[in-house]
Amino acid sequence: MRWCAVAFEVVLVGSHLVLAVVDEEFGWVTLVHPATLLPLAIVVGLLTPAAARWFDR
């Protein structure tokens, strides 16, 4: 389940960045947008050893 959540969040970030490039709106604002930062924070949280122990129960 943890890896599915990580993959889902990576797809969210990737699709946001691809759409920004296609719409020619890619820049620093895109990188610090909550639609980019929040899923990345979730991925980092899910990849910590504490999260691994929680999902291994």
Side-chain angles (χ1 to χ4, degrees):
M1 184 68 186
R2 181 175 81 145
W3 293 112
C4 291
V6 169
F8 179 75
E9 296 297 333
V10 168
V11 167
L12 283 178
V13 171
S15 66
H16 176 69
L17 294 176
V18 166
L19 288 175
V21 169
V22 168
D23 292 338
E24 297 176 359
E25 297 176 356
F26 186 77
W28 286 107
V29 175
T30 304
L31 295 177
V32 296
H33 193 272
T36 305
L37 293 179
L38 290 176
L40 286 177
I42 292 170
V43 167
V44 169
L46 286 171
L47 294 177
T48 61
R53 285 190 302 269
W54 191 83
F55 279 97
D56 286 340
R57 292 183 186 187

